[in-house]
mmCIF file of all heavy atoms in Angstrom:
data_model
loop_
_atom_site.group_PDB
_atom_site.id
_atom_site.type_symbol
_atom_site.label_atom_id
_atom_site.label_comp_id
_atom_site.label_asym_id
_atom_site.label_seq_id
_atom_site.Cartn_x
_atom_site.Cartn_y
_atom_site.Cartn_z
ATOM 1 N N ALA A 296 10.224 33.479 12.125
ATOM 2 C CA ALA A 296 9.652 34.631 11.480
ATOM 3 C C ALA A 296 8.207 34.675 11.517
ATOM 4 O O ALA A 296 7.538 35.801 11.704
ATOM 5 C CB ALA A 296 10.150 34.530 10.042
ATOM 6 N N GLY A 297 7.465 33.518 11.372
ATOM 7 C CA GLY A 297 6.038 33.572 11.331
ATOM 8 C C GLY A 297 5.482 33.959 12.700
ATOM 9 O O GLY A 297 4.419 34.699 12.965
ATOM 10 N N VAL A 298 6.072 33.343 13.741
ATOM 11 C CA VAL A 298 5.659 33.689 15.181
ATOM 12 C C VAL A 298 5.836 35.227 15.419
ATOM 13 O O VAL A 298 4.990 35.867 16.088
ATOM 14 C CB VAL A 298 6.389 32.706 16.048
ATOM 15 C CG1 VAL A 298 6.096 33.271 17.587
ATOM 16 C CG2 VAL A 298 6.010 31.401 15.964
ATOM 17 N N ARG A 299 6.944 35.858 14.957
ATOM 18 C CA ARG A 299 7.144 37.141 15.351
ATOM 19 C C ARG A 299 6.086 38.045 14.671
ATOM 20 O O ARG A 299 5.543 38.963 15.058
ATOM 21 C CB ARG A 299 8.472 37.542 14.844
ATOM 22 C CG ARG A 299 9.579 37.117 15.724
ATOM 23 C CD ARG A 299 11.025 37.407 15.235
ATOM 24 N NE ARG A 299 12.107 37.042 16.121
ATOM 25 C CZ ARG A 299 13.421 37.234 15.856
ATOM 26 N NH1 ARG A 299 13.822 37.789 14.645
ATOM 27 N NH2 ARG A 299 14.246 36.844 16.791
ATOM 28 N N ARG A 300 5.816 37.619 13.381
ATOM 29 C CA ARG A 300 4.842 38.320 12.559
ATOM 30 C C ARG A 300 3.375 38.254 13.211
ATOM 31 O O ARG A 300 2.713 39.304 13.076
ATOM 32 C CB ARG A 300 4.791 37.828 11.099
ATOM 33 C CG ARG A 300 5.365 38.780 10.099
ATOM 34 C CD ARG A 300 5.077 38.514 8.649
ATOM 35 N NE ARG A 300 4.847 37.079 8.360
ATOM 36 C CZ ARG A 300 5.756 36.242 8.061
ATOM 37 N NH1 ARG A 300 7.012 36.566 7.923
ATOM 38 N NH2 ARG A 300 5.398 34.984 7.729
ATOM 39 N N ALA A 301 3.154 37.142 13.757
ATOM 40 C CA ALA A 301 1.739 36.985 14.213
ATOM 41 C C ALA A 301 1.574 37.393 15.630
ATOM 42 O O ALA A 301 0.439 37.202 16.240
ATOM 43 C CB ALA A 301 1.377 35.483 14.089
ATOM 44 N N LYS A 302 2.559 37.904 16.283
ATOM 45 C CA LYS A 302 2.637 38.210 17.802
ATOM 46 C C LYS A 302 1.432 39.131 18.063
ATOM 47 O O LYS A 302 1.336 40.213 17.504
ATOM 48 C CB LYS A 302 3.937 38.766 18.145
ATOM 49 C CG LYS A 302 4.148 38.950 19.791
ATOM 50 C CD LYS A 302 5.438 39.354 20.063
ATOM 51 C CE LYS A 302 5.586 39.446 21.610
ATOM 52 N NZ LYS A 302 6.966 39.742 22.059
ATOM 53 N N GLY A 303 0.624 38.853 19.002
ATOM 54 C CA GLY A 303 -0.409 39.704 19.446
ATOM 55 C C GLY A 303 -1.665 39.826 18.465
ATOM 56 O O GLY A 303 -2.604 40.483 18.814
ATOM 57 N N LYS A 304 -1.671 38.946 17.488
ATOM 58 C CA LYS A 304 -2.917 38.919 16.594
ATOM 59 C C LYS A 304 -3.477 37.562 16.687
ATOM 60 O O LYS A 304 -2.873 36.528 16.391
ATOM 61 C CB LYS A 304 -2.437 39.158 15.144
ATOM 62 C CG LYS A 304 -1.626 40.404 15.013
ATOM 63 C CD LYS A 304 -1.042 40.642 13.508
ATOM 64 C CE LYS A 304 -0.277 41.727 13.401
ATOM 65 N NZ LYS A 304 0.281 41.789 11.886
ATOM 66 N N PRO A 305 -4.789 37.452 16.910
ATOM 67 C CA PRO A 305 -5.428 36.132 16.925
ATOM 68 C C PRO A 305 -5.666 35.744 15.442
ATOM 69 O O PRO A 305 -5.911 36.463 14.472
ATOM 70 C CB PRO A 305 -6.943 36.502 17.514
ATOM 71 C CG PRO A 305 -7.164 37.925 17.203
ATOM 72 C CD PRO A 305 -5.728 38.662 17.293
ATOM 73 N N LEU A 306 -5.387 34.343 15.339
ATOM 74 C CA LEU A 306 -5.603 33.857 14.004
ATOM 75 C C LEU A 306 -6.938 33.555 13.545
ATOM 76 O O LEU A 306 -7.702 32.943 14.358
ATOM 77 C CB LEU A 306 -4.788 32.581 14.004
ATOM 78 C CG LEU A 306 -4.901 31.701 12.592
ATOM 79 C CD1 LEU A 306 -4.221 32.531 11.581
ATOM 80 C CD2 LEU A 306 -4.170 30.323 12.714
ATOM 81 N N MET A 307 -7.383 34.112 12.477
ATOM 82 C CA MET A 307 -8.835 33.962 12.104
ATOM 83 C C MET A 307 -8.811 33.008 10.880
ATOM 84 O O MET A 307 -7.850 33.059 10.003
ATOM 85 C CB MET A 307 -9.315 35.374 11.676
ATOM 86 C CG MET A 307 -9.332 36.396 12.635
ATOM 87 S SD MET A 307 -10.265 35.967 14.180
ATOM 88 C CE MET A 307 -12.005 35.721 13.464
ATOM 89 N N VAL A 308 -9.792 32.187 10.831
ATOM 90 C CA VAL A 308 -9.943 31.170 9.804
ATOM 91 C C VAL A 308 -11.308 31.515 9.011
ATOM 92 O O VAL A 308 -12.418 31.573 9.625
ATOM 93 C CB VAL A 308 -10.110 29.703 10.402
ATOM 94 C CG1 VAL A 308 -10.196 28.813 9.227
ATOM 95 C CG2 VAL A 308 -8.852 29.536 11.213
ATOM 96 N N ALA A 309 -11.010 31.783 7.703
ATOM 97 C CA ALA A 309 -12.228 31.937 6.874
ATOM 98 C C ALA A 309 -12.915 30.759 6.617
ATOM 99 O O ALA A 309 -12.300 29.648 6.260
ATOM 100 C CB ALA A 309 -11.711 32.497 5.548
ATOM 101 N N LEU A 310 -14.219 30.736 6.801
ATOM 102 C CA LEU A 310 -15.037 29.411 6.729
ATOM 103 C C LEU A 310 -15.171 29.002 5.333
ATOM 104 O O LEU A 310 -15.008 29.644 4.374
ATOM 105 C CB LEU A 310 -16.413 29.716 7.389
ATOM 106 C CG LEU A 310 -16.476 30.250 8.827
ATOM 107 C CD1 LEU A 310 -18.005 30.391 9.166
ATOM 108 C CD2 LEU A 310 -15.678 29.377 9.813
ATOM 109 N N ALA A 311 -15.314 27.624 5.294
ATOM 110 C CA ALA A 311 -15.307 26.950 3.881
ATOM 111 C C ALA A 311 -16.630 27.300 3.171
ATOM 112 O O ALA A 311 -17.684 27.007 3.724
ATOM 113 C CB ALA A 311 -15.128 25.483 4.138
ATOM 114 N N VAL A 312 -16.548 27.769 1.988
ATOM 115 C CA VAL A 312 -17.750 27.992 1.113
ATOM 116 C C VAL A 312 -17.843 26.753 0.323
ATOM 117 O O VAL A 312 -16.908 26.368 -0.372
ATOM 118 C CB VAL A 312 -17.505 29.259 0.323
ATOM 119 C CG1 VAL A 312 -18.754 29.427 -0.644
ATOM 120 C CG2 VAL A 312 -17.357 30.517 1.116
ATOM 121 N N GLN A 313 -19.061 26.333 0.318
ATOM 122 C CA GLN A 313 -19.420 25.123 -0.619
ATOM 123 C C GLN A 313 -19.626 25.437 -2.038
ATOM 124 O O GLN A 313 -19.037 24.859 -2.959
ATOM 125 C CB GLN A 313 -20.653 24.392 -0.089
ATOM 126 C CG GLN A 313 -20.433 23.705 1.386
ATOM 127 C CD GLN A 313 -21.656 23.061 1.862
ATOM 128 O OE1 GLN A 313 -22.824 23.232 1.321
ATOM 129 N NE2 GLN A 313 -21.527 22.222 2.758
ATOM 130 N N ASP A 314 -20.437 26.442 -2.249
ATOM 131 C CA ASP A 314 -20.744 26.735 -3.700
ATOM 132 C C ASP A 314 -20.002 27.995 -4.072
ATOM 133 O O ASP A 314 -20.336 29.194 -4.083
ATOM 134 C CB ASP A 314 -22.310 27.036 -3.765
ATOM 135 C CG ASP A 314 -22.726 27.342 -5.273
ATOM 136 O OD1 ASP A 314 -21.941 27.409 -6.215
ATOM 137 O OD2 ASP A 314 -24.068 27.305 -5.423
ATOM 138 N N ILE A 315 -18.667 27.766 -4.518
ATOM 139 C CA ILE A 315 -17.843 28.791 -4.888
ATOM 140 C C ILE A 315 -18.269 29.578 -6.122
ATOM 141 O O ILE A 315 -17.958 30.777 -6.388
ATOM 142 C CB ILE A 315 -16.428 28.366 -4.984
ATOM 143 C CG1 ILE A 315 -16.220 27.247 -6.034
ATOM 144 C CG2 ILE A 315 -15.840 27.889 -3.694
ATOM 145 C CD1 ILE A 315 -14.808 26.832 -6.351
ATOM 146 N N HIS A 316 -19.003 28.841 -7.075
ATOM 147 C CA HIS A 316 -19.472 29.631 -8.133
ATOM 148 C C HIS A 316 -20.570 30.547 -7.900
ATOM 149 O O HIS A 316 -20.482 31.731 -8.441
ATOM 150 C CB HIS A 316 -20.152 28.469 -9.164
ATOM 151 C CG HIS A 316 -20.650 29.010 -10.450
ATOM 152 N ND1 HIS A 316 -19.897 29.569 -11.421
ATOM 153 C CD2 HIS A 316 -21.888 29.186 -10.822
ATOM 154 C CE1 HIS A 316 -20.619 30.114 -12.439
ATOM 155 N NE2 HIS A 316 -21.926 29.767 -12.186
ATOM 156 N N LYS A 317 -21.415 30.355 -6.977
ATOM 157 C CA LYS A 317 -22.431 31.260 -6.659
ATOM 158 C C LYS A 317 -21.829 32.389 -5.759
ATOM 159 O O LYS A 317 -22.118 33.560 -5.742
ATOM 160 C CB LYS A 317 -23.541 30.644 -5.695
ATOM 161 C CG LYS A 317 -24.671 31.552 -5.395
ATOM 162 C CD LYS A 317 -25.825 30.893 -4.765
ATOM 163 C CE LYS A 317 -26.953 31.855 -4.552
ATOM 164 N NZ LYS A 317 -28.237 31.040 -3.900
ATOM 165 N N GLN A 318 -20.741 32.057 -4.992
ATOM 166 C CA GLN A 318 -20.080 33.115 -4.245
ATOM 167 C C GLN A 318 -19.376 34.071 -5.199
ATOM 168 O O GLN A 318 -19.469 35.298 -4.922
ATOM 169 C CB GLN A 318 -18.936 32.421 -3.418
ATOM 170 C CG GLN A 318 -18.084 33.524 -2.635
ATOM 171 C CD GLN A 318 -16.812 32.851 -2.118
ATOM 172 O OE1 GLN A 318 -16.467 31.649 -2.534
ATOM 173 N NE2 GLN A 318 -16.093 33.563 -1.379
#
Side-chain angles (χ1 to χ4, degrees):
V298 170
R299 286 180 178 176
R300 250 191 337 263
K302 189 174 182 180
K304 304 174 185 176
L306 177 63
M307 302 301 296
V308 178
L310 302 184
V312 176
Q313 292 179 347
D314 192 344
I315 56 175
H316 179 64
K317 188 172 184 180
Q318 178 197 6

